[in-house]
Amino acid sequence: SMIESLSIDLHHNPYAILDSTELDAYIEYIKQFKCDESVKTKGAVVLNANPCTFGHIYLIQQALKFVDFLYVFLVEESIGSLPFLDREYMLKESLKYHKRIQVLRGGNIMTSERVFPEYFNKSSKPTRTSLVLTHRVFGVIVSSALGITFRFFGTEPNDMVTRALNETANE
């Protein structure tokens, strides 16, 4: 009743992240990894890698055929079987011989429960709002900060969330 009397809106506003200091801080974090301007084509992959598989490495190797430098954003949420630090270590070890790759933390921005909650609850159908917001944050804000012109997506035929993410990316 107190919430109602004070008219406090507790509904989740997914677009609030767009005007947040958290997003600003994340952009400042990733800018420190910006490539030299001489690098012509830059791409990106966003991975959960829980665990890091041959499929993840294959996606990265395929992406490297199309770009001069690849940013690999690792989902930082530790929801699943492996904590973030373990996934980060495995991924970096798997990629340590690739000089044209930079692994970056996803923070609360890249495929986080805050921006894309359906990714972590596979029983729920992703909403158009979450999908569009995820693409907008990456496609407009993150890619601009690093000069990324290509984003690569993996496929998981049995995962409706990944399928919906890929379909809306095509749009």
Side-chain angles (χ1 to χ4, degrees):
S1 63
M2 183 169 74
I3 291 172
E4 291 169 1
S5 67
L6 295 174
S7 300
I8 298 173
D9 184 11
L10 294 181
H11 294 285
H12 173 64
N13 176 6
Y15 289 101
I17 196 74
L18 294 173
D19 297 318
S20 71
T21 56
E22 193 167 8
L23 179 58
D24 295 339
Y26 185 73
I27 296 304
E28 287 306 310
Y29 157 71
I30 64 172
K31 279 183 179 178
Q32 67 183 319
F33 300 101
K34 190 171 184 176
C35 289
D36 184 273
E37 293 301 320
S38 65
V39 177
K40 292 183 181 178
T41 55
K42 298 167 204 92
V45 174
V46 179
L47 302 175
N48 192 10
N50 194 356
C52 183
T53 66
F54 290 125
H56 293 111
I57 302 304
Y58 178 78
L59 173 63
I60 290 167
Q61 290 170 337
Q62 293 303 305
L64 283 170
K65 293 178 181 179
F66 296 94
V67 296
D68 298 318
F69 192 85
L70 186 69
Y71 293 99
V72 179
F73 293 90
L74 184 60
V75 173
E76 201 163 345
E77 297 271 350
S78 286
I79 297 174
S81 58
L82 294 171
F84 171 75
L85 292 176
D86 291 344
R87 291 183 291 116
E88 181 184 43
Y89 176 78
M90 286 188 301
L91 185 61
K92 285 182 174 181
E93 278 296 302
S94 298
L95 301 174
K96 67 183 175 186
Y97 298 110
H98 293 278
K99 302 301 180 206
R100 300 182 298 134
I101 293 175
Q102 176 67 55
V103 176
L104 299 173
R105 293 171 169 248
N108 284 328
I109 305 302
M110 301 298 293
T111 311
S112 70
E113 196 164 29
R114 171 181 260 162
V115 177
F116 191 20
E118 297 89 350
Y119 183 82
F120 302 96
N121 180 3
K122 300 295 185 175
S123 64
S124 67
K125 184 178 180 188
T127 66
R128 182 125 182 107
T129 300
S130 292
L131 294 167
V132 170
L133 177 61
T134 297
H135 294 308
R136 181 182 292 173
V137 167
F138 184 86
V140 176
I141 300 168
V142 173
S143 64
S144 296
L146 296 174
I148 296 168
T149 53
F150 295 94
R151 180 167 174 190
F152 300 90
F153 292 85
T155 58
E156 294 181 32
N158 298 324
D159 183 350
M160 72 174 179
V161 175
T162 299
R163 187 177 325 112
L165 186 65
N166 292 353
E167 288 170 0
T168 55
N170 281 333
E171 291 174 20

